[in-house]
Amino acid sequence: MLQCHCLRRIPELWKPTLMRRILLTCLAILVLAGCQRDWTTLVDTEPSPTLDTPLMERNDAADAEEWPAIPEQDVKTDWLIGKVIRVADGDTLTLLVDEKDAPKEIRVRLEGIDCPEAGQPWGTRAKQALSELVFQQTVKVWSIGQDRYGRTLGRVYVGEDDERSDVNLALVAQGLAWHYKRYSDDELLADAEIAAKRERRGLWADPSPVAPWHWRAKQPKGKSEGPAFTPPADGKHWLNTTTGVRHNSTCENWGKTKRGRPCGPKEGKACGMCGG
């Protein structure tokens, strides 16, 4: 009788235990489903920046690498501030800088990059892009010296400090300039070129783009940029409008300047050899 009574109670003891197990199982499934939904939402709503995102619209931590602070210079003359009054091609512009005596024009060659030449594919587009960025704008140029043509080499920035654009970097990122590795080891320019190639932006959409230094090497030798220079018949001073240096008629550089004009005895800065 005892055995039968115990057997009759087994279903009563078993049912609550089974219900608890079922409830616990359901609760666990709901918890896991909620975690999975939260994780999916996190992944879908917080994507990392892509190469398609415009450079000036990136506001995350990556900006610190892509838009480094403008370098502080010990020598103030390393900085030029002026208005862009002329754009010659994709990597050359003319800056009008206020001086004590009179405004001075300075030709600036964008450092670390090389754009397609005027006769090359994408040469006109590169010039247009530079014009859109800086023409008639006040820019800040970090000067690092001069090239063999007397142009100031520099990194060009446009806009306010908190919304500035690195013009050299922007042209490379758009696929309108090469990183000029022969003269620059800048990592930002190198990374921008790699990204532009990968995304086939600008000139990288062409199957076999020709670097401008290779294109220039194939041009006919002796090709001149303009008519030969003839010194003025009268006058005692000549101003090299590229460098702003003044020469007098006794100087060995007299007559060798490709770009210049007659000037007064106080224009520009005196030549270190002839005294101007």
Side-chain angles (χ1 to χ4, degrees):
M1 293 294 293
L2 180 60
Q3 184 177 2
C4 293
H5 178 74
C6 293
L7 289 175
R8 283 197 301 269
R9 294 200 58 189
I10 286 176
E12 298 176 4
L13 296 173
W14 177 79
K15 288 180 181 179
T17 303
L18 178 60
M19 291 300 296
R20 282 197 298 269
R21 291 179 180 176
I22 293 174
L23 289 174
L24 289 174
T25 301
C26 293
L27 181 60
I29 291 173
L30 290 173
V31 170
L32 289 174
C35 292
Q36 180 65 28
R37 184 173 59 255
D38 291 342
W39 172 251
T40 302
T41 302
L42 178 63
V43 172
D44 291 343
T45 57
E46 298 186 10
S48 59
T50 66
L51 293 172
D52 294 329
T53 304
L55 290 175
M56 293 302 294
E57 294 181 4
R58 299 186 187 182
N59 297 317
D60 57 13
D63 288 343
E65 298 178 1
E66 296 195 24
W67 298 104
I70 296 178
E72 295 292 339
Q73 297 298 301
D74 296 330
V75 183
K76 292 183 179 180
T77 53
D78 284 346
W79 286 105
L80 296 173
I81 299 177
K83 186 177 183 179
V84 178
I85 59 172
R86 194 176 304 114
V87 173
D89 53 35
D91 50 39
T92 308
L93 57 84
T94 300
L95 196 66
L96 186 64
V97 179
D98 287 334
E99 295 285 343
K100 292 182 179 179
D101 297 332
K104 182 171 74 171
E105 295 184 9
I106 299 177
R107 292 192 78 209
V108 177
R109 171 67 164 80
L110 275 64
E111 177 271 336
I113 71 172
D114 201 1
C115 288
E117 298 292 341
Q120 282 189 267
W122 296 94
T124 299
R125 181 67 191 95
K127 179 180 178 179
Q128 291 173 346
L130 181 59
S131 298
E132 291 168 1
L133 285 168
V134 302
F135 185 61
Q136 294 296 320
Q137 300 292 320
T138 297
V139 302
K140 190 171 186 178
V141 180
W142 174 25
S143 171
I144 64 169
Q146 291 187 333
D147 65 7
R148 58 180 177 170
Y149 302 108
R151 298 173 298 187
T152 295
L153 290 168
R155 197 79 168 230
V156 180
Y157 299 89
V158 64
E160 300 298 330
D161 284 348
D162 56 345
E163 295 181 356
R164 68 186 180 279
S165 292
D166 181 335
V167 177
N168 306 42
L169 181 62
L171 290 170
V172 176
Q174 293 177 40
L176 298 174
W178 271 261
H179 174 210
Y180 210 171
K181 298 181 180 67
R182 181 179 179 183
Y183 299 106
S184 169
D185 59 359
D186 189 288
E187 293 183 359
L188 291 175
L189 295 177
D191 291 343
E193 182 179 275
I194 291 171
K197 284 183 180 179
R198 184 172 62 246
E199 299 297 315
R200 300 183 66 81
R201 300 177 191 152
L203 62 89
W204 301 111
D206 292 348
S208 300
V210 178
W213 52 88
H214 293 318
W215 187 89
R216 289 191 293 266
K218 295 179 180 179
Q219 299 310 298
K221 300 297 181 182
K223 184 178 180 181
S224 174
E225 296 182 3
F229 165 73
T230 302
D234 54 1
K236 298 181 180 180
H237 301 91
W238 183 257
L239 180 69
N240 182 334
T241 56
T242 299
T243 62
V245 176
R246 181 183 69 253
H247 306 280
N248 63 41
S249 57
T250 65
C251 185
E252 65 179 32
N253 290 321
W254 179 273
K256 297 181 180 179
T257 304
K258 288 186 177 181
R259 296 181 178 85
R261 59 175 175 78
C263 70
K266 294 184 179 181
E267 288 188 68
K269 55 185 178 181
C271 169
M273 298 177 62
C274 69

